Amino acid sequence: MGLLLIASWQSAAGAAFAFTQIAGATWNPHTVSATIMGGQLVACVVLFFWLNLLVIGRTPRSVPTARRMTLRLLALAVGASAVATAVPDHGFSRSPFLGLFVFSVGLVWLTVEICLRHGITPTRLGAWPLWPATAERREEWKDIADSTAVALAAGGGGAFILVSALQGAGLTRLVMPGTQQQALGIGGIGEIASALIFTVVLEDLIMVAAVVALLTAARRPAWEIYTIICIAEVAVHLYFGLPALAFLPYAWLRVRLYRRHAQVIPMLAAHLAFDTLGILMWALPFSLTERLLYIGSGIALFLAVDFLRRRVTARLSHRKQATIAIDPTN
């Protein structure tokens, strides 16, 4: 829970403030900025000490000196960089791209160290290898990527459809004003790239893979795992307003998928591709009606193609099994 808290603080706090503003509350911009940035600085300080303590504990004197010192110095550098880029009004903190990227790197390393501490290797977490080694595993990754895209269509696509519909109907008190990029305050290529990297690290590696693996290792019940992740997903998307509820099925489907396959790399890849397409959709000069039509058509087309692909794959597999049964020497 500590990992989830420090990883999601900035996103959840910003989303919570945005949601209250949609509901009609007014905040002093300085208060909002100080709360979010102050909390993020605390999160980075916690990351610094937590990461370095875990690395020191994993590299006793029995580890070769060169390897031990390299890991410890790298952990020190990553943690210190995260803190430096989070200091308010500091020179380094003026680069949102750099700060979010360094924080993402620190979170990835911290996640790996925490999992190792509990006996969960990167392979067991599903974060290694980075490419499937066998044809069977490649087929499994395709299925995982397809299922992840279905979940993303239900969550992100559903939220975008609700946003477009509510904005078009003039129900502005229920939905975020403008686009997702405007709500998040990002506009430059560097900011968008760092936001994409941070999003997949937070939502796939930490919220789904690490939380599921760690809570499962702690023998927590399935309902608790689903509840925690669903609440966390809605919390970081509250800036959507009412459409944030679309991320409940999104979270549920992804947790179910990871619990079944325990592979996070194809989920990361599918999420990154989906969000990139989503950004392009909102960046292009379409009207609300056109966006609603294009998004709905795209989701329907994807679901139809995915359904046909699965049917064809299942039929070919059935024919192959039937041939083997008829001719065992084949």
Side-chain angles (χ1 to χ4, degrees):
M1 291 299 294
L3 173 64
L4 181 59
L5 180 61
I6 66 172
S8 61
W9 164 257
Q10 188 173 18
S11 298
F17 276 117
F19 180 78
T20 58
Q21 289 175 335
I22 293 173
T26 56
W27 296 97
N28 185 323
H30 178 74
T31 300
V32 174
S33 177
T35 302
I36 296 175
M37 295 183 68
Q40 181 64 13
L41 177 59
V42 172
C44 289
V45 171
V46 173
L47 183 149
F48 172 84
F49 285 105
W50 199 354
L51 175 61
N52 280 274
L53 287 173
L54 288 173
V55 170
I56 290 173
R58 194 169 61 85
T59 54
R61 290 189 176 274
S62 58
V63 175
T65 303
R67 181 169 179 268
R68 182 175 74 252
M69 296 306 298
T70 299
L71 286 174
R72 291 184 178 184
L73 287 175
L74 282 175
L76 185 67
V78 170
S81 298
V83 173
T85 54
V87 176
D89 300 324
H90 191 274
F92 293 116
S93 67
R94 295 172 186 170
S95 173
F97 168 77
L98 178 62
L100 203 53
F101 177 77
V102 172
F103 186 57
S104 300
V105 172
L107 285 176
V108 171
W109 194 351
L110 179 61
T111 300
V112 172
E113 292 293 339
I114 292 173
C115 288
L116 287 173
R117 179 81 172 183
H118 291 83
I120 303 170
T121 63
T123 301
R124 182 181 168 190
L125 185 65
W128 188 267
L130 298 177
W131 189 256
T134 64
E136 292 78 7
R137 181 51 61 88
R138 285 193 290 272
E139 190 62 32
E140 180 186 17
W141 279 29
K142 289 179 182 178
D143 289 338
I144 295 172
D146 285 350
S147 298
T148 301
V150 171
L152 289 162
F160 283 132
I161 289 175
L162 285 173
V163 167
S164 298
L166 291 172
Q167 287 179 345
L171 302 175
T172 56
R173 291 296 296 272
L174 300 175
V175 65
M176 68 179 182
T179 67
Q180 185 180 23
Q181 286 75 23
Q182 292 170 340
L184 294 174
I186 58 176
I189 296 299
E191 293 179 7
I192 292 174
S194 61
L196 286 174
I197 294 171
F198 175 72
T199 297
V200 297
V201 168
L202 172 62
E203 295 189 33
D204 295 294
L205 180 63
I206 297 176
M207 276 192 186
V208 174
V211 170
V212 171
L214 290 169
L215 291 181
T216 300
R219 301 184 182 277
R220 305 309 303 170
W223 69 265
E224 182 178 327
I225 297 173
Y226 279 100
T227 300
I228 289 173
I229 295 175
C230 285
I231 291 175
E233 283 288 4
V234 172
V236 299
H237 290 100
L238 277 176
Y239 59 87
F240 275 97
L242 183 63
L245 293 177
F247 289 92
L248 285 173
Y250 162 75
W252 187 88
L253 289 169
R254 287 162 63 249
V255 173
R256 181 172 177 268
L257 182 64
Y258 181 78
R259 281 168 55 86
R260 176 179 297 178
H261 296 280
Q263 295 292 321
V264 73
I265 297 299
M267 297 178 69
L268 288 163
H271 194 169
L272 189 62
F274 186 91
D275 279 6
T276 301
L277 290 175
I279 288 174
L280 291 176
M281 175 61 68
W282 284 96
L284 295 175
F286 294 139
S287 67
L288 289 175
T289 302
E290 289 172 334
R291 286 174 181 168
L292 184 61
L293 176 62
Y294 293 153
I295 293 172
S297 300
I299 292 174
L301 178 62
F302 168 78
L303 293 176
V305 171
D306 180 67
F307 174 76
L308 291 175
R309 188 189 75 82
R310 291 176 183 271
R311 287 292 300 272
V312 170
T313 301
R315 183 166 296 182
L316 291 176
S317 177
H318 177 73
R319 287 181 179 178
K320 183 178 180 181
Q321 291 176 357
T323 301
I324 294 175
I326 294 173
D327 183 11
T329 62
N330 188 10

